[in-house]
Amino acid sequence: MPKPNSRNLPPYVKTQTRTYRHKATGEKVAKTYHYYRRPGAPNDGEPIPGDPNSPEFLATLAAYNARADGQPEKPHESTVAGLFAAFRLSPEFSRLRDKTRYDYDRILTRAEGFWGDLPHASITTKIAYALRDKLQKTPRQANLMLDVLRRVWQWGARRELVQDNPFARPERLPTKPRSDYWTPEDEAAFLAVAPPEMRLAFIMAVDTGQRRGDLLGMVWTAYDGEGFRLRQSKTGKAIRVPVTARLREALAATPRTSTHILTDPTGKPWSADTFGHLFTDLKRAIGREHLHFHDLRRTAVVRLSEAGCTILEIASVTGHTIQHSQRILDTYHVATEQQATAAVARLEAHNRKARTNRK
């Protein structure tokens, strides 16, 4: 039976011919159906009514095109963008925590800018190394991108969407743990130029040791006047952090214009990008471009250590597990002059006591 000629059909119209036997005569009968198939367009599975040249058919097709216009076209599954799109729809992606999912999406979007239209089979180990080397000036970002792409290709391999994982071979670039932290002089300079909403954010960060995302998401109902109750977005751990007298005073002076504690100048919850840009502008204004907001978390650890807190006490504030406390301190701890002075003072006191006991 001849196939219908689809060369003269309008764009996005696909044909399907079905055969069946006529109940009365027993003869084979063929009927052709026309379907609207446009990438990214809704598909209800129903055939387009009427003959392709009929007013009814053309009117329905025009309505379908109008509904689909402006929608992004679905990338082909064989492309890098198609692989990423499938991963974003997977339960493995949806189970990621909000901050992790945000970071993954940002990295995948960047990678799509490099290779989105290319077949994912064309991405080789050589290309993976080239990407890593291109980002070598920012080794942490390079390693993070490699980690995300490695996981996506692993996910694709388990589902037999890809044959090989080109990101399994490149080694991570060596990185040095950051040792920068905010000194009292740095803090005073920042608070002198910061508007009230940024001063509160700074104090909350350095006095609680929490991550930026958790601070920006903090709501007033999590504060009982003595401390915060929160579930950390990165670890999922529920903790309670008592507040300092300074932070309690700052919170008491803050108008409650939103459900969120930290708000922008209009009284609305901060967007992460807006907050980050303003913070960068302020630290640039005081000549502290080398310091980051995340360094306030390290600063909190340093100050707790200077105050004589144990590893367990520091971990109870930051929310890390006890088993990882020592490793965390190895990352965040910075030896300071005050700590060295205190250590020598304790040594001298011990020596004096020992000499007295020998007499």
Side-chain angles (χ1 to χ4, degrees), residues 217-251:
M218 194 88 70
V219 293
W220 283 108
T221 54
Y223 176 58
D224 61 10
E226 297 295 330
F228 298 112
R229 291 191 179 278
L230 72 147
R231 185 174 296 277
Q232 293 184 319
S233 59
K234 184 173 182 178
T235 64
K237 185 174 183 179
I239 62 173
R240 185 180 187 278
V241 183
V243 298
T244 62
R246 175 175 74 158
L247 179 52
R248 187 183 301 111
E249 181 180 349
L251 291 168

XYZ file of all heavy atoms in Angstrom, residues 217-251:
276
model
N 17.567 32.666 53.757
C 16.290 31.977 53.852
C 15.683 31.974 55.241
O 14.583 31.448 55.444
N 16.360 32.574 56.223
C 15.890 32.560 57.607
C 14.618 33.393 57.753
O 14.536 34.521 57.283
C 16.970 33.117 58.529
C 16.721 32.844 59.999
S 17.413 31.259 60.485
C 19.163 31.618 60.403
N 13.620 32.823 58.413
C 12.344 33.528 58.642
C 12.209 33.869 60.120
O 12.849 33.263 60.990
C 11.153 32.667 58.172
C 11.169 32.500 56.664
C 11.158 31.309 58.857
N 11.350 34.839 60.402
C 11.188 35.319 61.770
C 10.657 34.237 62.694
O 10.970 34.224 63.897
C 10.271 36.536 61.792
C 10.933 37.808 61.349
C 10.742 38.477 60.187
C 11.915 38.562 62.084
N 11.537 39.592 60.132
C 12.264 39.681 61.287
C 12.536 38.395 63.321
C 13.191 40.622 61.695
C 13.465 39.331 63.736
C 13.790 40.433 62.923
N 9.854 33.337 62.177
C 9.303 32.286 63.035
C 10.379 31.319 63.528
O 10.134 30.547 64.463
C 8.217 31.490 62.275
O 8.755 31.009 61.042
C 6.998 32.368 62.009
N 11.565 31.349 62.900
C 12.666 30.490 63.348
C 13.419 31.103 64.530
O 14.291 30.447 65.111
C 13.641 30.238 62.202
N 13.075 32.332 64.895
C 13.774 33.050 65.960
C 12.856 33.172 67.169
O 11.737 33.684 67.063
C 14.191 34.434 65.453
C 14.838 35.312 66.501
C 15.988 34.905 67.167
C 14.301 36.565 66.814
C 16.585 35.709 68.110
C 14.896 37.383 67.756
C 16.038 36.948 68.408
O 16.622 37.751 69.360
N 13.306 32.706 68.318
C 12.490 32.734 69.535
C 12.935 33.776 70.548
O 12.510 33.762 71.699
C 12.476 31.355 70.200
C 13.881 30.884 70.613
O 14.834 31.698 70.560
O 14.022 29.708 70.970
N 13.796 34.686 70.105
C 14.302 35.709 71.008
C 15.630 35.357 71.643
O 16.337 36.229 72.149
N 15.971 34.071 71.617
C 17.226 33.620 72.209
C 18.117 32.900 71.202
O 19.317 32.789 71.396
C 16.946 32.680 73.387
C 16.205 33.345 74.540
C 17.030 34.439 75.203
O 18.276 34.321 75.201
O 16.432 35.405 75.710
N 17.508 32.389 70.144
C 18.297 31.657 69.157
C 17.481 31.329 67.921
O 16.273 31.586 67.857
N 18.163 30.748 66.925
C 17.538 30.341 65.661
C 17.428 28.821 65.611
O 18.339 28.110 66.033
C 18.385 30.790 64.461
C 18.554 32.266 64.336
C 19.792 32.851 64.530
C 17.475 33.075 64.014
C 19.958 34.217 64.399
C 17.626 34.440 63.884
C 18.867 35.009 64.083
N 16.326 28.363 65.059
C 16.198 26.954 64.701
C 16.155 26.880 63.177
O 15.361 27.563 62.549
C 14.930 26.343 65.298
C 14.977 26.214 66.805
C 13.839 25.365 67.341
N 13.907 25.237 68.784
C 14.673 24.366 69.441
N 15.428 23.527 68.738
N 14.698 24.307 70.740
N 17.014 26.061 62.607
C 17.055 25.952 61.156
C 17.494 24.568 60.745
O 18.096 23.830 61.539
C 17.993 26.991 60.542
C 19.503 26.780 60.742
C 20.266 27.294 59.543
C 19.986 27.472 62.005
N 17.173 24.223 59.511
C 17.672 22.998 58.895
C 18.617 23.427 57.787
O 18.205 24.058 56.817
C 16.522 22.158 58.339
C 16.981 20.800 57.783
C 15.804 19.953 57.375
N 14.970 19.608 58.504
C 15.206 18.597 59.344
N 16.279 17.843 59.161
N 14.383 18.350 60.348
N 19.872 23.093 57.940
C 20.874 23.547 56.983
C 20.606 22.956 55.600
O 20.391 21.754 55.455
C 22.273 23.164 57.462
C 22.691 23.903 58.726
C 24.112 23.595 59.132
O 24.548 22.453 59.063
N 24.839 24.604 59.568
N 20.607 23.834 54.600
C 20.239 23.417 53.249
C 21.251 22.460 52.641
O 20.891 21.603 51.841
C 20.081 24.645 52.353
O 21.291 25.387 52.308
N 22.498 22.565 53.008
C 23.528 21.718 52.401
C 23.553 20.329 53.015
O 23.689 19.327 52.308
C 24.910 22.371 52.539
C 26.019 21.591 51.857
C 27.329 22.355 51.885
C 28.420 21.578 51.156
N 29.698 22.319 51.128
N 23.412 20.252 54.339
C 23.528 18.971 55.027
C 22.189 18.382 55.426
O 22.093 17.187 55.700
C 24.381 19.128 56.298
O 23.702 20.010 57.217
C 25.743 19.716 55.964
N 21.151 19.225 55.498
C 19.853 18.764 55.967
C 19.786 18.606 57.470
O 18.781 18.113 58.006
N 20.812 19.035 58.168
C 20.872 18.859 59.620
C 20.091 19.960 60.320
O 20.217 21.139 59.992
C 22.325 18.870 60.085
C 22.491 18.578 61.570
C 23.961 18.455 61.939
C 24.124 18.084 63.406
N 25.551 17.939 63.781
N 19.268 19.564 61.299
C 18.506 20.525 62.098
C 19.349 20.941 63.295
O 19.840 20.094 64.051
C 17.193 19.917 62.547
N 19.528 22.247 63.461
C 20.333 22.750 64.570
C 19.636 23.948 65.218
O 18.701 24.530 64.653
C 21.744 23.188 64.105
C 21.640 24.334 63.087
C 22.519 22.024 63.530
C 23.005 24.925 62.727
N 20.081 24.301 66.406
C 19.650 25.526 67.073
C 20.894 26.319 67.417
O 21.820 25.803 68.050
C 18.847 25.231 68.332
C 18.295 26.505 68.969
C 17.496 26.225 70.239
N 16.856 27.439 70.733
C 17.453 28.362 71.473
N 18.726 28.187 71.832
N 16.804 29.436 71.871
N 20.921 27.570 67.019
C 22.079 28.432 67.239
C 21.677 29.580 68.152
O 20.890 30.450 67.752
C 22.628 28.993 65.908
C 23.879 29.820 66.144
C 22.914 27.870 64.925
N 22.175 29.615 69.384
C 21.895 30.770 70.253
C 22.501 32.032 69.652
O 23.502 31.986 68.937
C 22.578 30.397 71.576
C 22.771 28.911 71.509
C 22.975 28.588 70.062
N 21.892 33.183 69.942
C 22.385 34.440 69.383
C 23.198 35.188 70.428
O 22.990 35.042 71.638
C 21.219 35.329 68.885
C 20.454 34.632 67.781
C 20.285 35.703 70.029
N 24.137 35.985 69.950
C 24.921 36.841 70.825
C 24.097 38.056 71.244
O 23.065 38.371 70.638
C 26.189 37.313 70.108
O 25.789 38.098 68.960
C 27.033 36.136 69.633
N 24.579 38.739 72.253
C 23.879 39.950 72.704
C 23.851 40.994 71.594
O 22.848 41.692 71.410
C 24.559 40.504 73.955
N 24.949 41.095 70.836
C 24.999 42.066 69.741
C 23.955 41.743 68.690
O 23.236 42.635 68.209
C 26.396 42.064 69.113
C 26.496 42.955 67.878
C 27.888 43.059 67.330
N 28.318 41.847 66.635
C 29.304 41.838 65.721
N 29.922 42.959 65.401
N 29.661 40.699 65.145
N 23.847 40.477 68.323
C 22.880 40.087 67.301
C 21.452 40.247 67.824
O 20.563 40.681 67.072
C 23.125 38.641 66.874
C 22.177 38.067 65.816
C 22.096 38.961 64.590
C 22.606 36.664 65.415
N 21.220 39.919 69.081
C 19.878 40.080 69.650
C 19.449 41.550 69.598
O 18.306 41.863 69.256
C 19.862 39.578 71.088
C 18.467 39.537 71.706
C 18.500 39.106 73.153
N 19.085 37.783 73.293
C 20.276 37.545 73.859
N 21.009 38.571 74.308
N 20.739 36.329 73.958
N 20.371 42.438 69.887
C 20.069 43.880 69.843
C 19.785 44.321 68.408
O 18.854 45.108 68.162
C 21.245 44.659 70.422
C 21.048 46.161 70.443
C 22.231 46.906 71.029
O 23.123 46.245 71.621
O 22.280 48.143 70.898
N 20.574 43.814 67.451
C 20.357 44.181 66.043
C 19.013 43.675 65.549
O 18.310 44.363 64.793
C 21.499 43.622 65.190
N 18.623 42.478 65.949
C 17.333 41.925 65.533
C 16.172 42.705 66.139
O 15.140 42.918 65.486
C 17.244 40.449 65.929
C 18.165 39.504 65.158
C 18.213 38.130 65.825
C 17.707 39.362 63.718
